[in-house]
Amino acid sequence: MSAPSSVKPGRGGSRQVQADSTLHPEERKRILHLHAEQNRRSALKDGFDMLMDMIPDLHSGGVKPTNAVVLAKGAEHIRHLTALRDDQAAQRAALNEKIARLNQKISVLQSNLPSSSGTTSSKLEPRAALEAFYDRYTKESSRKDYRFWVMARLLRPIAVGENSSFAAMIAPEGSSREEVAASCSEWLNSHWRAAELRPLASTLLVHLATTAGVLTNPESLEEHVREQLNNPIA
Protein backbone atom coordinates (compact mmCIF):
# COMPACT_ATOMS: atom_id res chain seq x y z
CA MET A 1 0.00 0.00 0.00
CA SER A 2 1.30 3.41 -0.90
CA ALA A 3 1.95 6.04 1.73
CA PRO A 4 -0.82 8.57 2.36
CA SER A 5 -0.49 11.79 0.48
CA SER A 6 0.50 15.00 2.19
CA VAL A 7 -1.61 18.04 1.34
CA LYS A 8 -1.48 21.71 2.24
CA PRO A 9 -3.95 24.59 1.77
CA GLY A 10 -3.68 26.43 -1.52
CA ARG A 11 -5.04 29.71 -2.82
CA GLY A 12 -8.74 30.38 -2.20
CA GLY A 13 -9.03 27.55 0.29
CA SER A 14 -8.08 24.91 -2.30
CA ARG A 15 -5.92 22.00 -1.37
CA GLN A 16 -2.68 21.18 -3.14
CA VAL A 17 -0.77 17.93 -3.03
CA GLN A 18 2.81 18.24 -1.81
CA ALA A 19 5.49 16.68 -3.88
CA ASP A 20 5.95 13.17 -2.52
CA SER A 21 8.19 10.83 -4.40
CA THR A 22 6.84 7.86 -2.43
CA LEU A 23 3.40 8.09 -4.13
CA HIS A 24 2.66 5.81 -7.01
CA PRO A 25 2.18 7.83 -10.24
CA GLU A 26 -1.38 6.57 -10.69
CA GLU A 27 -2.26 7.34 -7.07
CA ARG A 28 -0.72 10.78 -7.37
CA LYS A 29 -2.71 11.40 -10.56
CA ARG A 30 -5.93 10.29 -8.87
CA ILE A 31 -5.35 12.60 -5.89
CA LEU A 32 -4.54 15.56 -8.13
CA HIS A 33 -7.72 14.94 -10.13
CA LEU A 34 -9.76 14.68 -6.93
CA HIS A 35 -8.49 17.99 -5.59
CA ALA A 36 -8.92 19.69 -8.97
CA GLU A 37 -12.56 18.61 -8.98
CA GLN A 38 -12.99 19.88 -5.42
CA ASN A 39 -11.48 23.23 -6.40
CA ARG A 40 -13.76 23.46 -9.43
CA ARG A 41 -16.87 22.79 -7.34
CA SER A 42 -15.74 25.26 -4.70
CA ALA A 43 -15.18 27.99 -7.32
CA LEU A 44 -18.57 27.21 -8.88
CA LYS A 45 -20.29 27.45 -5.50
CA ASP A 46 -18.56 30.75 -4.74
CA GLY A 47 -19.69 32.10 -8.10
CA PHE A 48 -23.30 31.11 -7.51
CA ASP A 49 -23.23 32.58 -4.00
CA MET A 50 -21.94 35.86 -5.39
CA LEU A 51 -24.58 35.83 -8.13
CA MET A 52 -27.34 35.14 -5.61
CA ASP A 53 -26.25 38.15 -3.57
CA MET A 54 -26.51 40.41 -6.64
CA ILE A 55 -29.95 39.33 -7.91
CA PRO A 56 -32.83 41.17 -6.19
CA ASP A 57 -35.86 39.33 -4.78
CA LEU A 58 -34.27 35.96 -5.36
CA HIS A 59 -35.25 34.63 -1.93
CA SER A 60 -38.70 36.21 -1.86
CA GLY A 61 -40.38 32.80 -1.88
CA GLY A 62 -38.61 31.68 1.28
CA VAL A 63 -37.09 28.67 -0.50
CA LYS A 64 -33.49 28.42 -1.61
CA PRO A 65 -33.50 28.65 -5.41
CA THR A 66 -31.92 26.01 -7.57
CA ASN A 67 -28.96 26.77 -9.79
CA ALA A 68 -31.25 26.79 -12.83
CA VAL A 69 -33.48 29.40 -11.19
CA VAL A 70 -30.43 31.49 -10.24
CA LEU A 71 -29.19 31.48 -13.84
CA ALA A 72 -32.64 32.32 -15.23
CA LYS A 73 -33.15 35.15 -12.75
CA GLY A 74 -29.63 36.38 -13.41
CA ALA A 75 -30.26 36.54 -17.16
CA GLU A 76 -33.54 38.37 -16.55
CA HIS A 77 -31.81 40.88 -14.27
CA ILE A 78 -29.09 41.48 -16.86
CA ARG A 79 -31.71 42.16 -19.55
CA HIS A 80 -33.43 44.61 -17.20
CA LEU A 81 -30.18 46.44 -16.49
CA THR A 82 -29.34 46.55 -20.20
CA ALA A 83 -32.74 48.04 -21.06
CA LEU A 84 -32.36 50.55 -18.22
CA ARG A 85 -28.93 51.55 -19.48
CA ASP A 86 -30.23 52.01 -23.04
CA ASP A 87 -33.16 54.09 -21.79
CA GLN A 88 -30.87 56.31 -19.75
CA ALA A 89 -28.58 56.73 -22.75
CA ALA A 90 -31.54 57.82 -24.90
CA GLN A 91 -32.68 60.27 -22.23
CA ARG A 92 -29.16 61.64 -21.93
CA ALA A 93 -28.95 62.13 -25.71
CA ALA A 94 -32.33 63.90 -25.75
CA LEU A 95 -31.27 66.18 -22.90
CA ASN A 96 -27.99 66.99 -24.62
CA GLU A 97 -29.89 67.88 -27.78
CA LYS A 98 -32.25 70.09 -25.81
CA ILE A 99 -29.32 71.78 -24.08
CA ALA A 100 -27.73 72.45 -27.46
CA ARG A 101 -30.95 74.06 -28.73
CA LEU A 102 -31.24 76.17 -25.59
CA ASN A 103 -27.62 77.28 -25.90
CA GLN A 104 -28.28 78.25 -29.49
CA LYS A 105 -31.32 80.29 -28.46
CA ILE A 106 -29.30 81.95 -25.70
CA SER A 107 -26.61 82.89 -28.20
CA VAL A 108 -29.20 84.46 -30.50
CA LEU A 109 -30.80 86.36 -27.63
CA GLN A 110 -27.43 87.60 -26.45
CA SER A 111 -26.57 88.77 -29.94
CA ASN A 112 -29.79 90.82 -29.96
CA LEU A 113 -28.96 92.61 -26.71
CA PRO A 114 -27.84 96.24 -27.03
CA SER A 115 -24.12 96.82 -26.81
CA SER A 116 -22.49 98.72 -23.96
CA SER A 117 -22.37 101.87 -26.10
CA GLY A 118 -26.15 101.94 -26.25
CA THR A 119 -26.48 100.95 -29.91
CA THR A 120 -28.85 98.15 -30.78
CA SER A 121 -28.01 95.08 -32.79
CA SER A 122 -28.67 95.21 -36.50
CA LYS A 123 -30.37 91.85 -36.30
CA LEU A 124 -34.07 91.59 -35.65
CA GLU A 125 -35.21 90.16 -32.37
CA PRO A 126 -36.67 86.66 -32.65
CA ARG A 127 -40.25 87.89 -32.21
CA ALA A 128 -39.85 90.67 -34.79
CA ALA A 129 -38.16 88.31 -37.23
CA LEU A 130 -40.91 85.73 -36.76
CA GLU A 131 -43.60 88.39 -37.20
CA ALA A 132 -42.04 89.62 -40.43
CA PHE A 133 -41.78 86.07 -41.73
CA TYR A 134 -45.35 85.30 -40.66
CA ASP A 135 -46.77 88.32 -42.51
CA ARG A 136 -44.69 87.66 -45.60
CA TYR A 137 -45.68 83.99 -45.71
CA THR A 138 -49.33 84.91 -45.13
CA LYS A 139 -49.33 87.23 -48.13
CA GLU A 140 -47.55 84.77 -50.39
CA SER A 141 -49.86 81.89 -49.49
CA SER A 142 -53.03 83.99 -49.50
CA ARG A 143 -52.37 85.15 -53.05
CA LYS A 144 -52.57 81.50 -54.05
CA ASP A 145 -55.68 80.83 -51.97
CA TYR A 146 -57.45 83.74 -50.27
CA ARG A 147 -58.89 81.39 -47.62
CA PHE A 148 -55.41 80.98 -46.18
CA TRP A 149 -55.60 84.59 -44.99
CA VAL A 150 -58.55 83.78 -42.73
CA MET A 151 -56.68 81.01 -40.93
CA ALA A 152 -53.48 83.06 -40.72
CA ARG A 153 -55.38 86.04 -39.30
CA LEU A 154 -57.07 83.76 -36.78
CA LEU A 155 -53.79 82.26 -35.54
CA ARG A 156 -51.71 85.45 -35.63
CA PRO A 157 -52.21 86.40 -31.94
CA ILE A 158 -51.15 82.91 -30.89
CA ALA A 159 -48.14 82.77 -33.19
CA VAL A 160 -46.70 86.29 -32.98
CA GLY A 161 -48.80 88.16 -30.43
CA GLU A 162 -47.18 90.14 -27.63
CA ASN A 163 -48.16 87.53 -25.04
CA SER A 164 -47.27 84.56 -27.23
CA SER A 165 -44.59 82.15 -26.05
CA PHE A 166 -44.20 80.72 -29.54
CA ALA A 167 -41.52 83.17 -30.67
CA ALA A 168 -39.37 82.42 -27.64
CA MET A 169 -39.48 78.66 -28.19
CA ILE A 170 -39.18 78.47 -31.97
CA ALA A 171 -35.78 77.44 -33.30
CA PRO A 172 -33.67 80.53 -34.13
CA GLU A 173 -32.81 81.77 -37.59
CA GLY A 174 -30.35 79.51 -39.37
CA SER A 175 -31.75 76.33 -37.84
CA SER A 176 -32.50 73.31 -39.99
CA ARG A 177 -36.03 72.33 -40.99
CA GLU A 178 -35.84 69.43 -38.56
CA GLU A 179 -34.92 71.73 -35.68
CA VAL A 180 -37.72 74.16 -36.53
CA ALA A 181 -40.22 71.31 -36.77
CA ALA A 182 -39.02 69.88 -33.45
CA SER A 183 -39.35 73.23 -31.68
CA CYS A 184 -42.85 73.75 -33.12
CA SER A 185 -43.87 70.29 -31.96
CA GLU A 186 -42.47 71.00 -28.51
CA TRP A 187 -44.45 74.24 -28.30
CA LEU A 188 -47.66 72.55 -29.45
CA ASN A 189 -47.29 69.81 -26.86
CA SER A 190 -46.60 72.28 -24.06
CA HIS A 191 -48.72 75.35 -24.83
CA TRP A 192 -51.41 74.62 -27.41
CA ARG A 193 -54.95 75.04 -26.10
CA ALA A 194 -57.82 74.66 -28.57
CA ALA A 195 -60.06 76.71 -26.28
CA GLU A 196 -58.01 79.81 -27.13
CA LEU A 197 -59.40 79.71 -30.67
CA ARG A 198 -63.00 80.39 -29.61
CA PRO A 199 -62.61 84.07 -28.61
CA LEU A 200 -60.22 84.65 -31.52
CA ALA A 201 -62.69 83.17 -34.00
CA SER A 202 -65.49 85.26 -32.53
CA THR A 203 -63.43 88.45 -32.80
CA LEU A 204 -62.43 87.69 -36.39
CA LEU A 205 -66.01 86.92 -37.38
CA VAL A 206 -67.21 90.23 -35.93
CA HIS A 207 -64.42 92.02 -37.79
CA LEU A 208 -65.30 90.40 -41.11
CA ALA A 209 -69.00 90.99 -40.60
CA THR A 210 -68.57 94.69 -39.88
CA THR A 211 -65.83 95.52 -42.38
CA ALA A 212 -66.55 93.14 -45.25
CA GLY A 213 -70.20 92.22 -44.74
CA VAL A 214 -69.48 88.50 -45.15
CA LEU A 215 -72.65 87.51 -43.29
CA THR A 216 -74.90 89.13 -45.87
CA ASN A 217 -72.58 88.66 -48.83
CA PRO A 218 -70.13 85.73 -48.40
CA GLU A 219 -68.59 86.41 -51.83
CA SER A 220 -67.22 89.70 -50.50
CA LEU A 221 -64.65 87.82 -48.41
CA GLU A 222 -62.31 87.23 -51.34
CA GLU A 223 -62.41 90.90 -52.33
CA HIS A 224 -61.75 91.94 -48.74
CA VAL A 225 -58.74 89.62 -48.54
CA ARG A 226 -57.34 91.01 -51.80
CA GLU A 227 -57.60 94.52 -50.38
CA GLN A 228 -55.83 93.45 -47.20
CA LEU A 229 -53.01 91.88 -49.19
CA ASN A 230 -52.37 95.20 -50.91
CA ASN A 231 -51.96 96.94 -47.56
CA PRO A 232 -48.50 97.23 -45.98
CA ILE A 233 -49.68 94.99 -43.11
CA ALA A 234 -52.17 92.27 -43.99
Side-chain angles (χ1 to χ4, degrees), residues 107-126 128 173:
S107 298
V108 173
L109 291 174
Q110 289 177 340
S111 66
N112 290 330
L113 292 175
S115 63
S116 57
S117 61
T119 59
T120 57
S121 172
S122 60
K123 293 184 178 180
L124 291 174
E125 293 182 357
E173 185 177 359

mmCIF file of all heavy atoms in Angstrom, residues 107-126 128 173:
data_model
loop_
_atom_site.group_PDB
_atom_site.id
_atom_site.type_symbol
_atom_site.label_atom_id
_atom_site.label_comp_id
_atom_site.label_asym_id
_atom_site.label_seq_id
_atom_site.Cartn_x
_atom_site.Cartn_y
_atom_site.Cartn_z
ATOM 1 N N SER A 107 -27.579 82.143 -27.388
ATOM 2 C CA SER A 107 -26.611 82.888 -28.200
ATOM 3 C C SER A 107 -27.307 83.918 -29.078
ATOM 4 O O SER A 107 -26.833 85.051 -29.227
ATOM 5 C CB SER A 107 -25.806 81.914 -29.070
ATOM 6 O OG SER A 107 -25.071 81.008 -28.271
ATOM 7 N N VAL A 108 -28.453 83.517 -29.657
ATOM 8 C CA VAL A 108 -29.195 84.457 -30.504
ATOM 9 C C VAL A 108 -29.733 85.614 -29.672
ATOM 10 O O VAL A 108 -29.659 86.784 -30.070
ATOM 11 C CB VAL A 108 -30.341 83.725 -31.229
ATOM 12 C CG1 VAL A 108 -31.230 84.719 -31.967
ATOM 13 C CG2 VAL A 108 -29.778 82.712 -32.210
ATOM 14 N N LEU A 109 -30.277 85.299 -28.494
ATOM 15 C CA LEU A 109 -30.800 86.361 -27.628
ATOM 16 C C LEU A 109 -29.687 87.311 -27.181
ATOM 17 O O LEU A 109 -29.880 88.533 -27.128
ATOM 18 C CB LEU A 109 -31.485 85.739 -26.408
ATOM 19 C CG LEU A 109 -32.792 84.982 -26.681
ATOM 20 C CD1 LEU A 109 -33.284 84.301 -25.411
ATOM 21 C CD2 LEU A 109 -33.858 85.933 -27.205
ATOM 22 N N GLN A 110 -28.543 86.748 -26.866
ATOM 23 C CA GLN A 110 -27.427 87.599 -26.449
ATOM 24 C C GLN A 110 -26.949 88.492 -27.586
ATOM 25 O O GLN A 110 -26.553 89.638 -27.361
ATOM 26 C CB GLN A 110 -26.282 86.726 -25.941
ATOM 27 C CG GLN A 110 -26.563 86.068 -24.597
ATOM 28 C CD GLN A 110 -25.444 85.155 -24.152
ATOM 29 O OE1 GLN A 110 -24.624 84.718 -24.960
ATOM 30 N NE2 GLN A 110 -25.400 84.850 -22.868
ATOM 31 N N SER A 111 -27.000 87.957 -28.805
ATOM 32 C CA SER A 111 -26.572 88.772 -29.941
ATOM 33 C C SER A 111 -27.542 89.911 -30.220
ATOM 34 O O SER A 111 -27.180 90.898 -30.864
ATOM 35 C CB SER A 111 -26.431 87.896 -31.192
ATOM 36 O OG SER A 111 -27.695 87.399 -31.600
ATOM 37 N N ASN A 112 -28.792 89.773 -29.746
ATOM 38 C CA ASN A 112 -29.787 90.820 -29.960
ATOM 39 C C ASN A 112 -29.794 91.871 -28.851
ATOM 40 O O ASN A 112 -30.524 92.863 -28.946
ATOM 41 C CB ASN A 112 -31.189 90.205 -30.062
ATOM 42 C CG ASN A 112 -31.366 89.417 -31.343
ATOM 43 O OD1 ASN A 112 -30.752 89.729 -32.356
ATOM 44 N ND2 ASN A 112 -32.192 88.387 -31.305
ATOM 45 N N LEU A 113 -29.018 91.636 -27.797
ATOM 46 C CA LEU A 113 -28.962 92.613 -26.715
ATOM 47 C C LEU A 113 -28.198 93.855 -27.165
ATOM 48 O O LEU A 113 -27.261 93.762 -27.966
ATOM 49 C CB LEU A 113 -28.270 91.999 -25.493
ATOM 50 C CG LEU A 113 -29.028 90.865 -24.780
ATOM 51 C CD1 LEU A 113 -28.160 90.281 -23.676
ATOM 52 C CD2 LEU A 113 -30.340 91.374 -24.207
ATOM 53 N N PRO A 114 -28.577 95.029 -26.659
ATOM 54 C CA PRO A 114 -27.836 96.242 -27.031
ATOM 55 C C PRO A 114 -26.416 96.194 -26.498
ATOM 56 O O PRO A 114 -26.144 95.609 -25.447
ATOM 57 C CB PRO A 114 -28.650 97.363 -26.370
ATOM 58 C CG PRO A 114 -29.403 96.694 -25.272
ATOM 59 C CD PRO A 114 -29.697 95.306 -25.761
ATOM 60 N N SER A 115 -25.513 96.794 -27.233
ATOM 61 C CA SER A 115 -24.117 96.823 -26.813
ATOM 62 C C SER A 115 -23.943 97.821 -25.676
ATOM 63 O O SER A 115 -24.831 98.585 -25.335
ATOM 64 C CB SER A 115 -23.226 97.206 -27.995
ATOM 65 O OG SER A 115 -23.549 98.511 -28.441
ATOM 66 N N SER A 116 -22.751 97.835 -25.094
ATOM 67 C CA SER A 116 -22.485 98.723 -23.964
ATOM 68 C C SER A 116 -22.533 100.191 -24.355
ATOM 69 O O SER A 116 -22.744 101.064 -23.528
ATOM 70 C CB SER A 116 -21.107 98.401 -23.364
ATOM 71 O OG SER A 116 -20.104 98.518 -24.363
ATOM 72 N N SER A 117 -22.335 100.478 -25.655
ATOM 73 C CA SER A 117 -22.366 101.866 -26.103
ATOM 74 C C SER A 117 -23.775 102.388 -26.289
ATOM 75 O O SER A 117 -23.978 103.556 -26.584
ATOM 76 C CB SER A 117 -21.599 102.004 -27.427
ATOM 77 O OG SER A 117 -22.208 101.202 -28.424
ATOM 78 N N GLY A 118 -24.765 101.502 -26.136
ATOM 79 C CA GLY A 118 -26.146 101.938 -26.252
ATOM 80 C C GLY A 118 -26.744 101.697 -27.615
ATOM 81 O O GLY A 118 -27.936 101.921 -27.821
ATOM 82 N N THR A 119 -25.949 101.239 -28.583
ATOM 83 C CA THR A 119 -26.480 100.946 -29.908
ATOM 84 C C THR A 119 -27.124 99.583 -29.897
ATOM 85 O O THR A 119 -26.713 98.687 -29.179
ATOM 86 C CB THR A 119 -25.354 100.972 -30.952
ATOM 87 O OG1 THR A 119 -24.365 99.999 -30.585
ATOM 88 C CG2 THR A 119 -24.710 102.348 -31.007
ATOM 89 N N THR A 120 -28.140 99.414 -30.716
ATOM 90 C CA THR A 120 -28.852 98.146 -30.783
ATOM 91 C C THR A 120 -28.282 97.294 -31.891
ATOM 92 O O THR A 120 -27.661 97.784 -32.829
ATOM 93 C CB THR A 120 -30.349 98.385 -31.041
ATOM 94 O OG1 THR A 120 -30.488 99.130 -32.253
ATOM 95 C CG2 THR A 120 -30.967 99.176 -29.890
ATOM 96 N N SER A 121 -28.505 96.009 -31.781
ATOM 97 C CA SER A 121 -28.012 95.076 -32.788
ATOM 98 C C SER A 121 -28.756 95.282 -34.091
ATOM 99 O O SER A 121 -29.936 95.630 -34.115
ATOM 100 C CB SER A 121 -28.206 93.636 -32.297
ATOM 101 O OG SER A 121 -27.898 92.726 -33.315
ATOM 102 N N SER A 122 -28.049 95.051 -35.186
ATOM 103 C CA SER A 122 -28.674 95.212 -36.496
ATOM 104 C C SER A 122 -29.619 94.068 -36.808
ATOM 105 O O SER A 122 -30.437 94.158 -37.709
ATOM 106 C CB SER A 122 -27.588 95.300 -37.579
ATOM 107 O OG SER A 122 -26.802 94.112 -37.573
ATOM 108 N N LYS A 123 -29.489 92.992 -36.067
ATOM 109 C CA LYS A 123 -30.366 91.850 -36.299
ATOM 110 C C LYS A 123 -31.719 92.076 -35.632
ATOM 111 O O LYS A 123 -31.814 92.731 -34.605
ATOM 112 C CB LYS A 123 -29.734 90.567 -35.746
ATOM 113 C CG LYS A 123 -28.480 90.136 -36.478
ATOM 114 C CD LYS A 123 -27.997 88.816 -35.937
ATOM 115 C CE LYS A 123 -26.760 88.334 -36.678
ATOM 116 N NZ LYS A 123 -26.274 87.040 -36.142
ATOM 117 N N LEU A 124 -32.752 91.514 -36.242
ATOM 118 C CA LEU A 124 -34.072 91.593 -35.652
ATOM 119 C C LEU A 124 -34.169 90.657 -34.461
ATOM 120 O O LEU A 124 -33.542 89.598 -34.438
ATOM 121 C CB LEU A 124 -35.141 91.207 -36.690
ATOM 122 C CG LEU A 124 -35.364 92.179 -37.847
ATOM 123 C CD1 LEU A 124 -36.349 91.563 -38.832
ATOM 124 C CD2 LEU A 124 -35.881 93.517 -37.357
ATOM 125 N N GLU A 125 -34.945 91.050 -33.475
ATOM 126 C CA GLU A 125 -35.209 90.161 -32.370
ATOM 127 C C GLU A 125 -36.018 88.981 -32.878
ATOM 128 O O GLU A 125 -36.712 89.082 -33.895
ATOM 129 C CB GLU A 125 -35.966 90.896 -31.275
ATOM 130 C CG GLU A 125 -35.156 91.983 -30.603
ATOM 131 C CD GLU A 125 -35.923 92.668 -29.493
ATOM 132 O OE1 GLU A 125 -37.107 92.312 -29.303
ATOM 133 O OE2 GLU A 125 -35.347 93.530 -28.835
ATOM 134 N N PRO A 126 -35.954 87.848 -32.170
ATOM 135 C CA PRO A 126 -36.669 86.661 -32.651
ATOM 136 C C PRO A 126 -38.150 86.914 -32.910
ATOM 137 O O PRO A 126 -38.693 86.462 -33.919
ATOM 138 C CB PRO A 126 -36.454 85.658 -31.514
ATOM 139 C CG PRO A 126 -35.169 86.075 -30.883
ATOM 140 C CD PRO A 126 -35.139 87.564 -30.987
ATOM 141 N N ALA A 128 -39.677 89.802 -33.619
ATOM 142 C CA ALA A 128 -39.847 90.669 -34.786
ATOM 143 C C ALA A 128 -39.546 89.916 -36.075
ATOM 144 O O ALA A 128 -40.236 90.088 -37.089
ATOM 145 C CB ALA A 128 -38.946 91.894 -34.659
ATOM 146 N N GLU A 173 -33.153 81.647 -36.176
ATOM 147 C CA GLU A 173 -32.807 81.766 -37.590
ATOM 148 C C GLU A 173 -31.512 81.012 -37.882
ATOM 149 O O GLU A 173 -30.557 81.056 -37.111
ATOM 150 C CB GLU A 173 -32.653 83.247 -37.957
ATOM 151 C CG GLU A 173 -32.416 83.488 -39.445
ATOM 152 C CD GLU A 173 -32.336 84.970 -39.757
ATOM 153 O OE1 GLU A 173 -32.480 85.766 -38.804
ATOM 154 O OE2 GLU A 173 -32.133 85.311 -40.929
#
